[in-house]
């Protein structure tokens, strides 16, 4: 469970980095006329990838044990992990501050939009965590609708017409059955037609690329 614990503590960082540029309405300049940390971020003069992990006592932002959308093999707390410090780490850039995540504000800003995570089980973690971040701020949780088909799983926040989706794809590109076996077609993205109708796409792929033999899907 330790590896998955690290993944769950990293999910909020991924969410913050993906969407941080969309939360930059409130920036300030201090009384001495110097550029504030938030203004540095807005002007693109801050490298958000240069920084360190810090403990934040306000974390975690939701209780994974009470969120019904976390798969049991990723739900460390519910199934007995005794420590909780790994849930309280927040990414802190060296020269600026990332905007804090506000679920209600997020729902308002992305009303009517479609957000899709595309990738492997790490994308699944991110997708489930995003849904839980929004689940805890929705007043009528019965208005969250789940839809599934062969390739796409979707949560619809009906009061906001917001869809948060998962498209499972280990390699992003296509695998075709040909005469000499299963071939990874690096120049083929048939599923890309589905992605064209999405407002925000979050891609992830890496884990399966270096696997060979029986470990390769």
């Amino acid at each position: 469970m330790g590896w998955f614990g690290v993944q769950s503590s990293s999910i909020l960082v991924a969410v913050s980095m993906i969407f941080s540029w969309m939360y930059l309405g409130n920036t300030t300049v201090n009384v001495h006329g110097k550029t504030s940390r938030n203004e540095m971020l807005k002007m693109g003069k801050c490298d958000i990838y240069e920084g360190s992990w810090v403990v934040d006592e306000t974390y975690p932002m939701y209780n994974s044990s009470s969120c019904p959308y976390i798969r049991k093999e990723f739900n460390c707390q519910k199934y007995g992990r005794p420590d909780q410090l790994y849930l309280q780490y927040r990414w802190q850039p060296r020269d600026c501050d990332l905007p804090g995540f506000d679920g209600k504000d997020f729902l308002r800003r992305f009303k009517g939009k479609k957000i899709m995570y595309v990738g492997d089980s790490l994308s699944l973690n991110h997708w489930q965590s995003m849904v839980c971040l929004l689940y805890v701020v929705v007043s009528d949780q019965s208005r969250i609708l789940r839809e599934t088909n062969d390739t796409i799983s979707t949560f619809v926040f009906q009061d906001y017409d917001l869809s948060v989706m998962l498209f499972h794809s280990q390699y992003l590109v296509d695998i075709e059955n040909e005469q000499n076996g299963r071939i990874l077609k690096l120049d083929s993205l048939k599923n890309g037609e589905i992605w064209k109708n999405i407002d925000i796409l979050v891609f992830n792929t890496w884990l399966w690329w270096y696997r060979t033999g029986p470990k390769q899907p």
Side-chain angles (χ1 to χ4, degrees):
M1 294 296 287
W3 189 85
F4 291 114
V6 172
Q7 297 310 306
S8 61
S9 66
S10 301
I11 289 169
L12 292 179
V13 176
V15 170
S16 295
M17 288 187 170
I18 291 166
F19 297 105
S20 62
W21 297 102
M22 301 171 188
Y23 283 93
L24 297 176
N26 297 321
T27 56
T28 58
V29 178
N30 66 27
V31 293
H32 301 292
K34 295 180 180 178
T35 305
S36 72
R37 293 168 66 87
N38 284 350
E39 194 70 20
M40 289 282 286
L41 180 59
K42 184 179 180 182
M43 293 188 300
K45 293 184 177 180
C46 174
D47 185 348
I48 62 174
Y49 301 101
E50 287 292 330
S52 60
W53 293 95
V54 298
V55 174
D56 189 329
E57 297 295 335
T58 66
Y59 278 41
M61 293 185 173
Y62 66 87
N63 184 343
S64 61
S65 298
S66 59
C67 180
Y69 306 123
I70 301 291
R71 266 176 36 179
K72 63 181 183 180
E73 62 265 42
F74 302 127
N75 201 338
C76 302
Q77 294 294 312
K78 184 175 181 179
Y79 290 93
R81 179 165 177 166
D83 60 307
Q84 296 189 26
L85 183 61
Y86 72 99
L87 295 171
Q88 294 183 301
Y89 280 95
R90 172 176 58 79
W91 180 254
Q92 176 59 59
R94 183 182 59 196
D95 298 320
C96 59
D97 298 316
L98 288 175
F101 185 82
D102 183 332
K104 290 183 178 179
D105 185 48
F106 186 96
L107 288 167
R108 287 191 296 268
R109 287 174 182 260
F110 291 95
K111 188 174 183 178
K113 301 296 184 182
K114 294 179 181 178
I115 300 169
M116 179 181 282
Y117 293 85
V118 184
D120 55 26
S121 60
L122 185 59
S123 293
L124 168 68
N125 293 152
H126 289 185
W127 172 67
Q128 289 179 335
S129 189
M130 172 61 86
V131 171
C132 288
L133 284 166
L134 300 176
Y135 170 82
V136 296
V137 301
V138 171
S139 54
D140 184 358
Q141 294 166 342
S142 67
R143 297 280 296 160
I144 302 173
L145 176 67
R146 181 164 190 175
E147 302 172 343
T148 351
N149 60 31
D150 292 339
T151 54
I152 302 174
S153 297
T154 304
F155 283 100
V156 181
F157 294 81
Q158 296 180 84
D159 291 336
Y160 299 89
D161 191 26
L162 168 66
S163 297
V164 184
M165 314 165 79
L166 173 71
F167 187 102
H168 182 73
S169 176
Q170 291 168 323
Y171 295 102
L172 303 186
V173 295
D174 297 327
I175 300 175
E176 301 284 352
N177 290 310
E178 299 190 353
Q179 288 185 347
N180 53 344
R182 282 162 52 83
I183 304 299
L184 200 62
K185 306 280 284 193
L186 300 182
D187 59 349
S188 179
L189 279 171
K190 293 178 181 176
N191 293 323
E193 290 300 315
I194 299 174
W195 304 342
K196 288 179 180 179
N197 298 318
I198 304 302
D199 298 294
I200 298 172
L201 289 163
V202 184
F203 292 101
N204 160 63
T205 180
W206 69 277
L207 179 62
W208 298 98
W209 284 90
Y210 62 84
R211 299 197 176 195
T212 57
K215 292 184 179 180
Q216 187 180 65

